[in-house]
Amino acid sequence: MLDLRPNCECCDIDLPPDATNARICSYECTFCADCVDTVLHNVCPNCGGGFQPRPIRPRGEWRPGEGLRHHPASTTRRSLRFSRDEVMAFSHSLRHLPPEQR
């Protein structure tokens, strides 16, 4: 089950469970669409993978035992473990390769 992390790891903007601008990599690293497009250039600074829109977890309990009430979003905020310069250099080195070729 996705962690639904509460913030962008780059700019720290809030990304609630229904955020349509949340992006994740295959390791669930979470960033906002703006940072993915303008800072990271679709290169996850943690793993080198690409990003996809994060799914929205339903608020309502449309099936018994499902939904945000039973599986709430994480409240643990995360931030990059690399400097901005390290992130930019890493992104620059991989952004010319499509994610499926990295």
Side-chain angles (χ1 to χ4, degrees), residues 31-44:
F31 297 89
C32 69
D34 187 51
C35 285
V36 166
D37 293 341
T38 62
V39 177
L40 306 173
H41 303 284
N42 198 32
V43 177
C44 178

Side-chain angles (χ1 to χ4, degrees), residues 24-65:
I24 60 171
C25 75
S26 66
Y27 290 96
E28 297 183 44
C29 301
T30 305
F31 297 89
C32 69
D34 187 51
C35 285
V36 166
D37 293 341
T38 62
V39 177
L40 306 173
H41 303 284
N42 198 32
V43 177
C44 178
N46 300 315
C47 70
F51 292 96
Q52 294 293 318
R54 183 182 72 189
I56 305 293
R57 185 164 299 153
R59 290 183 196 160
E61 187 176 347
W62 301 106
R63 296 273 189 192

Side-chain angles (χ1 to χ4, degrees), residues 2 10 12 41 46 58 60 68 77 89 95 99 102:
L2 287 175
C10 187
D12 199 37
H41 303 284
N46 300 315
L68 276 173
R77 297 181 83 81
R95 69 183 182 189
R102 291 186 203 147

Side-chain angles (χ1 to χ4, degrees), residues 74-94:
S74 173
T75 58
T76 304
R77 297 181 83 81
R78 299 186 185 231
S79 60
L80 285 172
R81 58 183 182 216
F82 305 102
S83 73
R84 188 80 157 199
D85 288 341
E86 289 172 314
V87 168
M88 298 298 281
F90 187 69
S91 170
H92 184 73
S93 71
L94 292 176

